[in-house]
Amino acid sequence: MPQPSSRLRKLDSFDRAILRIVQRDTKTPQRTIAEAVNLSAAAVQRRIAAMEAAGVIERNVAIVDTKALGMTITSIVEVTLINERPQTVDGAKALFLAAPEVQQCYYVTGGISFVLVIVTDDMIEYEAITRRLFADNEAVSSFRSLIALDRVKAGAEIVVR
């Protein structure tokens, strides 16, 4: 199990160079990474394993084209809870985390409680989800849906300095 972020290992320039590459494509052969960062393939393998064990690399995923799966609705939803008490917030976190349609979920500041990204097949499915997660949820005081017209960029790559 990954360690909490407060206990992550110290990253050196080699680790950071490796992260820049694997973020773009986790299937990059280790020998290719090794050549790019001037290490042996075995050293790259050890460093990647150590970063996975430390929780620096949380998981390896594929970015899927939603259109290829017939998923036509991407919605960004702002959710406001009735209060910000720990029990209310933790309950909402658990509910949103367990919902497979919720692609991303952020607990935020600024007058709203959460921002979610939800991907569904169509508006009928989306309406059912909004009822289940928001309208029928007594902890939610309001929610606002922003339906995406076009997916301009999707990814999880961060700038590694």
Side-chain angles (χ1 to χ4, degrees):
M1 182 173 216
Q3 298 175 358
S5 59
S6 62
R7 296 185 179 170
L8 296 179
R9 68 187 226 124
K10 181 96 169 125
L11 301 178
D12 64 17
S13 62
F14 290 113
D15 293 329
R16 292 173 184 281
I18 291 167
L19 285 173
R20 286 185 204 99
I21 295 168
V22 297
Q23 278 192 109
R24 287 190 301 273
D25 185 358
T26 62
K27 289 190 166 196
T28 303
Q30 290 180 355
R31 67 182 177 282
T32 303
I33 298 170
E35 290 172 8
V37 301
N38 296 315
L39 288 173
S40 70
V44 167
Q45 182 180 20
R46 282 191 302 272
R47 286 171 177 270
I48 289 173
M51 287 188 283
E52 288 173 341
V56 175
I57 298 174
E58 292 182 17
R59 59 194 161 135
N60 297 294
V61 298
I63 305 295
V64 177
D65 181 358
T66 56
K67 291 177 189 170
L69 297 177
M71 302 182 90
T72 61
I73 304 298
T74 299
S75 180
I76 296 86
V77 184
E78 298 176 347
V79 180
T80 304
L81 298 178
I82 57 170
N83 62 56
E84 297 294 321
R85 293 186 183 123
Q87 183 177 359
T88 306
V89 171
D90 291 346
K93 285 180 181 180
L95 178 66
F96 301 152
L97 184 62
E101 304 86 0
V102 176
Q103 186 182 43
Q104 297 177 52
C105 177
Y106 301 93
Y107 179 47
V108 299
T109 65
I112 58 174
S113 306
F114 288 90
V115 174
L116 287 73
V117 177
I118 297 176
V119 180
T120 60
D121 291 343
D122 54 36
M123 285 304 288
I124 294 168
E125 182 183 4
Y126 183 69
E127 180 187 11
I129 291 163
T130 61
R131 286 176 186 256
R132 185 179 86 234
L133 296 180
F134 316 125
D136 294 339
N137 185 340
E138 292 181 7
V140 173
S141 73
S142 66
F143 70 97
R144 181 174 85 141
S145 299
L146 305 165
I147 306 299
L149 299 175
D150 188 19
R151 182 167 110 169
V152 178
K153 180 179 182 179
E157 192 173 335
I158 59 169
V159 176
V160 179
R161 292 184 170 87

Coordinates of all heavy atoms in Angstrom, one line a residue, residues 27-71:
K27 N 4.1 2.8 -21.2 CA 4.6 1.6 -22.0 C 6.0 1.9 -22.6 O 6.5 1.0 -23.4 CB 3.6 1.2 -23.0 CG 2.4 0.5 -22.4 CD 1.5 -0.1 -23.5 CE 0.5 -1.0 -22.9 NZ -0.1 -1.9 -23.8
T28 N 6.6 3.0 -22.4 CA 7.9 3.3 -22.9 C 8.9 2.2 -22.4 O 8.9 2.0 -21.2 CB 8.4 4.7 -22.5 OG1 7.4 5.7 -22.9 CG2 9.7 5.0 -23.1
P29 N 9.6 1.5 -23.2 CA 10.5 0.5 -22.8 C 11.5 1.1 -21.8 O 12.0 2.2 -22.0 CB 11.1 0.0 -24.1 CG 10.2 0.4 -25.2 CD 9.5 1.6 -24.7
Q30 N 11.9 0.3 -20.8 CA 12.8 0.8 -19.8 C 14.2 1.1 -20.4 O 14.9 2.0 -20.0 CB 12.9 -0.2 -18.7 CG 11.7 -0.1 -17.8 CD 11.7 -1.1 -16.7 OE1 12.6 -1.8 -16.4 NE2 10.6 -1.0 -15.9
R31 N 14.6 0.4 -21.5 CA 15.8 0.6 -22.1 C 15.8 2.0 -22.8 O 16.8 2.7 -22.9 CB 16.2 -0.5 -23.1 CG 15.3 -0.6 -24.3 CD 15.7 -1.8 -25.2 NE 14.8 -1.9 -26.3 CZ 13.6 -2.4 -26.3 NH1 13.1 -2.9 -25.2 NH2 12.8 -2.5 -27.3
T32 N 14.6 2.4 -23.4 CA 14.5 3.7 -24.0 C 14.6 4.8 -22.9 O 15.3 5.8 -23.1 CB 13.2 3.8 -24.7 OG1 13.1 2.7 -25.7 CG2 13.0 5.1 -25.4
I33 N 13.9 4.6 -21.8 CA 14.0 5.5 -20.7 C 15.5 5.6 -20.2 O 16.0 6.7 -20.0 CB 13.1 5.1 -19.5 CG1 11.6 5.1 -20.0 CG2 13.3 6.0 -18.3 CD1 10.7 4.4 -19.0
A34 N 16.1 4.5 -20.1 CA 17.5 4.4 -19.6 C 18.4 5.3 -20.5 O 19.3 6.0 -20.0 CB 18.0 3.0 -19.5
E35 N 18.3 5.1 -21.8 CA 19.1 5.9 -22.7 C 18.8 7.4 -22.6 O 19.7 8.2 -22.6 CB 18.8 5.5 -24.2 CG 19.3 4.1 -24.5 CD 18.9 3.6 -25.9 OE1 18.3 4.3 -26.6 OE2 19.1 2.4 -26.1
A36 N 17.5 7.7 -22.4 CA 17.2 9.2 -22.3 C 17.7 9.8 -21.0 O 18.0 11.0 -21.1 CB 15.6 9.3 -22.4
V37 N 17.8 9.1 -20.0 CA 18.2 9.7 -18.7 C 19.6 9.3 -18.3 O 20.1 9.6 -17.2 CB 17.2 9.3 -17.6 CG1 15.8 9.8 -17.9 CG2 17.2 7.8 -17.2
N38 N 20.3 8.6 -19.1 CA 21.7 8.1 -18.9 C 21.9 7.3 -17.6 O 22.7 7.5 -16.8 CB 22.6 9.4 -18.8 CG 22.7 10.1 -20.1 OD1 22.8 9.5 -21.1 ND2 22.6 11.4 -20.0
L39 N 21.0 6.2 -17.6 CA 21.1 5.2 -16.5 C 21.0 3.8 -17.2 O 20.6 3.8 -18.4 CB 20.0 5.3 -15.5 CG 20.0 6.5 -14.5 CD1 18.7 6.5 -13.7 CD2 21.2 6.4 -13.6
S40 N 21.3 2.8 -16.5 CA 21.1 1.5 -17.0 C 19.6 1.1 -16.9 O 18.9 1.7 -16.1 CB 21.9 0.4 -16.2 OG 21.3 0.3 -14.9
A41 N 19.2 0.2 -17.7 CA 17.8 -0.3 -17.6 C 17.4 -0.8 -16.3 O 16.3 -0.6 -15.8 CB 17.5 -1.3 -18.7
A42 N 18.4 -1.5 -15.7 CA 18.1 -2.1 -14.3 C 17.9 -1.0 -13.3 O 17.1 -1.1 -12.4 CB 19.3 -3.0 -13.9
A43 N 18.7 0.1 -13.4 CA 18.6 1.2 -12.5 C 17.2 1.9 -12.7 O 16.6 2.3 -11.7 CB 19.7 2.2 -12.7
V44 N 16.8 2.0 -13.9 CA 15.5 2.6 -14.2 C 14.4 1.7 -13.6 O 13.5 2.2 -12.9 CB 15.3 2.8 -15.7 CG1 13.8 3.1 -16.0 CG2 16.2 3.9 -16.2
Q45 N 14.5 0.4 -13.8 CA 13.5 -0.5 -13.2 C 13.4 -0.4 -11.7 O 12.4 -0.3 -11.1 CB 13.9 -1.9 -13.6 CG 12.9 -2.9 -13.1 CD 13.2 -4.3 -13.5 OE1 14.4 -4.6 -13.9 NE2 12.3 -5.2 -13.5
R46 N 14.6 -0.3 -11.0 CA 14.6 -0.2 -9.6 C 14.0 1.2 -9.1 O 13.2 1.2 -8.1 CB 16.1 -0.2 -9.0 CG 16.6 -1.7 -9.0 CD 17.9 -1.7 -8.2 NE 19.0 -0.8 -8.8 CZ 19.8 -1.2 -9.7 NH1 19.8 -2.4 -10.3 NH2 20.7 -0.3 -10.2
R47 N 14.3 2.2 -9.8 CA 13.8 3.5 -9.4 C 12.3 3.6 -9.6 O 11.5 4.1 -8.8 CB 14.5 4.7 -10.2 CG 15.9 4.9 -9.8 CD 16.6 5.9 -10.7 NE 17.9 6.2 -10.2 CZ 18.2 7.2 -9.4 NH1 17.2 8.1 -9.0 NH2 19.4 7.5 -9.0
I48 N 11.8 3.0 -10.7 CA 10.3 3.0 -11.0 C 9.6 2.2 -9.9 O 8.6 2.6 -9.3 CB 10.0 2.5 -12.4 CG1 10.4 3.5 -13.4 CG2 8.5 2.2 -12.5 CD1 10.3 3.0 -14.9
A49 N 10.2 1.0 -9.6 CA 9.6 0.2 -8.5 C 9.6 0.9 -7.1 O 8.6 0.8 -6.4 CB 10.4 -1.1 -8.4
A50 N 10.7 1.6 -6.9 CA 10.8 2.4 -5.6 C 9.8 3.5 -5.6 O 9.1 3.8 -4.5 CB 12.2 2.9 -5.4
M51 N 9.6 4.2 -6.7 CA 8.6 5.3 -6.7 C 7.2 4.7 -6.6 O 6.3 5.3 -6.0 CB 8.7 6.1 -8.0 CG 10.0 7.0 -7.9 SD 10.1 8.2 -9.3 CE 10.7 7.2 -10.6
E52 N 6.9 3.5 -7.2 CA 5.6 2.9 -7.0 C 5.4 2.5 -5.5 O 4.3 2.8 -5.0 CB 5.5 1.7 -7.9 CG 5.4 2.0 -9.4 CD 5.4 0.8 -10.3 OE1 5.9 -0.3 -9.9 OE2 5.0 1.0 -11.5
A53 N 6.4 1.9 -4.9 CA 6.3 1.5 -3.5 C 6.1 2.7 -2.6 O 5.4 2.5 -1.6 CB 7.5 0.7 -3.1
A54 N 6.7 3.8 -2.9 CA 6.6 5.0 -2.1 C 5.3 5.8 -2.3 O 5.0 6.7 -1.6 CB 7.8 5.9 -2.3
G55 N 4.6 5.4 -3.4 CA 3.3 6.1 -3.7 C 3.6 7.4 -4.6 O 2.6 8.1 -4.8
V56 N 4.8 7.6 -5.0 CA 5.0 8.7 -6.0 C 4.3 8.4 -7.3 O 3.6 9.2 -7.8 CB 6.5 8.9 -6.3 CG1 6.8 9.9 -7.3 CG2 7.3 9.2 -5.0
I57 N 4.4 7.2 -7.8 CA 3.6 6.7 -8.9 C 2.4 5.9 -8.3 O 2.6 4.9 -7.7 CB 4.4 5.8 -9.8 CG1 5.6 6.6 -10.5 CG2 3.5 5.2 -10.9 CD1 6.5 5.7 -11.3
E58 N 1.2 6.5 -8.3 CA 0.1 5.9 -7.7 C -0.4 4.7 -8.5 O -0.8 3.7 -7.9 CB -1.0 6.9 -7.6 CG -0.7 8.0 -6.6 CD -1.9 9.0 -6.4 OE1 -3.0 8.7 -6.8 OE2 -1.6 10.1 -5.9
R59 N -0.5 4.8 -9.8 CA -1.0 3.7 -10.6 C -0.7 4.0 -12.1 O -0.4 5.2 -12.4 CB -2.4 3.4 -10.4 CG -3.3 4.6 -10.7 CD -4.7 4.4 -10.1 NE -5.3 5.7 -10.0 CZ -6.5 6.0 -10.4 NH1 -7.3 5.0 -10.9 NH2 -7.0 7.2 -10.4
N60 N -0.8 3.0 -12.9 CA -0.6 3.2 -14.3 C -1.9 2.9 -15.0 O -2.6 1.9 -14.8 CB 0.4 2.1 -14.9 CG 1.8 2.3 -14.2 OD1 2.4 3.3 -14.5 ND2 2.2 1.4 -13.4
V61 N -2.3 3.9 -15.8 CA -3.7 3.9 -16.4 C -3.6 4.2 -17.9 O -2.6 4.7 -18.4 CB -4.6 4.9 -15.7 CG1 -4.8 4.6 -14.2 CG2 -4.2 6.3 -15.8
A62 N -4.7 4.0 -18.6 CA -4.9 4.3 -20.0 C -5.9 5.4 -20.1 O -6.9 5.4 -19.4 CB -5.3 3.1 -20.8
I63 N -5.7 6.4 -20.9 CA -6.7 7.5 -21.1 C -7.5 7.0 -22.3 O -7.0 6.7 -23.4 CB -6.0 8.8 -21.5 CG1 -5.0 9.3 -20.5 CG2 -7.0 9.9 -21.8 CD1 -5.5 9.6 -19.1
V64 N -8.8 6.8 -22.0 CA -9.7 6.2 -23.0 C -10.5 7.2 -23.7 O -11.0 8.2 -23.1 CB -10.7 5.2 -22.3 CG1 -11.7 4.6 -23.2 CG2 -9.8 4.1 -21.6
D65 N -10.7 7.1 -25.0 CA -11.5 8.0 -25.8 C -13.0 7.7 -25.5 O -13.5 6.6 -25.8 CB -11.2 7.8 -27.3 CG -12.0 8.7 -28.2 OD1 -12.9 9.5 -27.7 OD2 -11.8 8.7 -29.4
T66 N -13.7 8.6 -24.8 CA -15.1 8.4 -24.4 C -16.0 8.2 -25.6 O -16.9 7.4 -25.6 CB -15.6 9.6 -23.6 OG1 -15.4 10.8 -24.3 CG2 -14.8 9.7 -22.3
K67 N -15.7 8.8 -26.7 CA -16.5 8.7 -27.9 C -16.4 7.3 -28.5 O -17.4 6.7 -29.0 CB -16.1 9.7 -29.0 CG -16.4 11.1 -28.7 CD -15.9 12.1 -29.7 CE -16.0 13.5 -29.3 NZ -15.3 14.4 -30.2
A68 N -15.2 6.6 -28.4 CA -15.1 5.3 -28.9 C -16.0 4.3 -28.1 O -16.4 3.2 -28.6 CB -13.6 4.8 -28.7
L69 N -16.4 4.7 -26.9 CA -17.2 3.8 -26.1 C -18.7 4.3 -26.1 O -19.5 3.7 -25.4 CB -16.8 3.8 -24.6 CG -15.4 3.3 -24.4 CD1 -15.0 3.4 -22.9 CD2 -15.3 1.8 -24.8
G70 N -19.0 5.3 -26.9 CA -20.3 5.8 -27.0 C -20.8 6.6 -25.8 O -21.9 6.8 -25.6
M71 N -19.8 7.1 -25.1 CA -20.1 7.9 -23.9 C -20.1 9.4 -24.3 O -19.1 10.0 -24.6 CB -19.1 7.7 -22.8 CG -19.1 6.2 -22.4 SD -18.0 5.9 -21.0 CE -19.1 6.1 -19.7

